[in-house]
C-alpha cells in the first residue's frame, strides 16, 4: 500500500545484488504498489457479471473481446522482451523502462479504467449496467464522449482507485495469467508461491 515501501524494497535488492560493472537493474515490472486484496478479474468486466445485474450465462466475457486479446498479447510479449534484455548497459535499462511504460499505457489507460469502474462498485459507485457498453466503448477509444453523468462517474472511479490502491493482478502481471496470444493460461496461471503479511487467520486454525 505504501509506495515508499516499494522503493525501499528496490533499494534493498540493489544493495544486495549491485555489481560495479553493471547498471542498477530495472525492477518496476516485478515490484508493484497496490492493495492485493482489492481488484477486478478481467473475465468479469461485463455488465451482466456485475453484482447489480442479473447474471446471464449467454453474455460474452471481456476476455473474448478481440482488442483485449490483442492488447494482452502485446503486453505479454513486452514482458518477455524486458526479461530477455540482459541489461548490461544503461541504454539497456532505459530500453526496458521504455517498453514497460508503453505496456502500462496500453493496459492501464484502457482496461485499467474498466477494472477500476467495476471495482469501485464495491465502494458505492453505481453505474447502470445498461450504460456499461457506452463506458466500455469510450474507455477503449471507440466513442469520443459520454452522456452525463457518466464522465463524472468515470472520474470518481479513478479517484477511488488511487485512494484505495486498486490492484488488478492480471493487468499488473499479464505474463503470469495469459499466453503470448492473449489467451488465459487457466490452470497453468498463477505464482509458485504467495506470501501474505500479516496473516488474516489464526495459525491455530490451519491445523
Amino acid at each position: 500500500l505504501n509506495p515508499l515501501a516499494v522503493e525501499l524494497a528496490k533499494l534493498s535488492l540493489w544493495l544486495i545484488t549491485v555489481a560495479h560493472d553493471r547498471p542498477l537493474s530495472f525492477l518496476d515490472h516485478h515490484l508493484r504498489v497496490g492493495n492485493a486484496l482489492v481488484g477486478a478479474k478481467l473475465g468479469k468486466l461485463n455488465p451482466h457479471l456485475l453484482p447489480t445485474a442479473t447474471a446471464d450465462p449467454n453474455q460474452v466475457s471481456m476476455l473474448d473481446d478481440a482488442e483485449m486479446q490483442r492488447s494482452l498479447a502485446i503486453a505479454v510479449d513486452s514482458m518477455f522482451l524486458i526479461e530477455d534484455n540482459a541489461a548490461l548497459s544503461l541504454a539497456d535499462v532505459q530500453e526496458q523502462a521504455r517498453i514497460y511504460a508503453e505496456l502500462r499505457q496500453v493496459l492501464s489507460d484502457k482496461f485499467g479504467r474498466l477494472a477500476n469502474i467495476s471495482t469501485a462498485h464495491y465502494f458505492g459507485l453505481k453505474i447502470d449496467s445498461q450504460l456499461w457498453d457506452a463506458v466500455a466503448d469510450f474507455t477503449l477509444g471507440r466513442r469520443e464522449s459520454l452522456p452525463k453523468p457518466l464522465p463524472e462517474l468515470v472520474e470518481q472511479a479513478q479517484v477511488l482507485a488511487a485512494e484505495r490502491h486498486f490492484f488488478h493482478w492480471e493487468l499488473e502481471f499479464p505474463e503470469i495469467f495469459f499466453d503470448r496470444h492473449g489467451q488465459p493460461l487457466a490452470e497453468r496461471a498463477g505464482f509458485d508461491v504467495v506470501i501474505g503479511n500479516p496473516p488474516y487467520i489464526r495459525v491455530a486454525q490451519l491445523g
Side-chain angles (χ1 to χ4, degrees), residues 132-171:
W132 177 263
D133 285 346
V135 174
D137 286 343
F138 174 75
T139 303
L140 298 177
R142 295 169 181 165
R143 61 180 293 164
E144 295 183 357
S145 61
L146 286 173
K148 288 184 176 297
L150 287 179
E152 291 82 1
L153 292 175
V154 171
E155 181 58 31
Q156 288 176 36
Q158 292 299 98
V159 171
L160 269 172
E163 290 176 348
R164 301 282 184 166
H165 302 286
F166 292 174
F167 194 84
H168 314 297
W169 283 91
E170 293 162 318
L171 295 179

Side-chain angles (χ1 to χ4, degrees), residues 107-129:
L107 294 185
S108 298
D109 289 358
K110 289 185 176 182
F111 308 109
R113 284 180 176 269
L114 287 179
N116 288 341
I117 293 168
S118 179
T119 306
H121 170 91
Y122 295 97
F123 295 89
L125 186 71
K126 307 297 182 184
I127 294 182
D128 190 330
S129 63

